[in-house]
Amino acid sequence: MAYQISDDCIKCGACASECPVSCISEGDAKYEINPDECIECGNCANVCPVDAPQA
Ligand code: SF4
Ligand code: SF4
């Protein structure tokens, strides 16, 4: 299962630059992960200040 970003996201943008497959993009209300490209490395969760990306 790909990681998903919860509504806790404050759109700081830190996760996007840490994703090795560049599958995180800015959405309207929060950042979003393309589930077809996520390789479940966990980098986004490690850098997120509010723990929004969940496995
Ligand atoms: Fe990108 Fe890794 Fe987060 Fe998936 S788990 S969105 S590959 S940083
Ligand atoms: Fe949202 Fe966390 Fe990514 Fe920042 S690091 S944009 S709060 S998911």
Side-chain angles (χ1 to χ4, degrees), residues 3 18-21 23-24 33 37-45:
Y3 275 61
E18 295 299 324
C19 179
V21 295
C23 70
I24 304 176
I33 293 170
E37 295 180 2
C38 175
I39 58 170
E40 302 169 50
C41 70
N43 282 4
C44 52

Side-chain angles (χ1 to χ4, degrees), residues 10-43:
I10 56 173
K11 297 184 79 171
C12 73
C15 56
S17 58
E18 295 299 324
C19 179
V21 295
S22 300
C23 70
I24 304 176
S25 59
E26 185 176 1
D28 287 338
K30 59 187 177 71
Y31 271 62
E32 295 170 350
I33 293 170
N34 181 337
D36 296 329
E37 295 180 2
C38 175
I39 58 170
E40 302 169 50
C41 70
N43 282 4

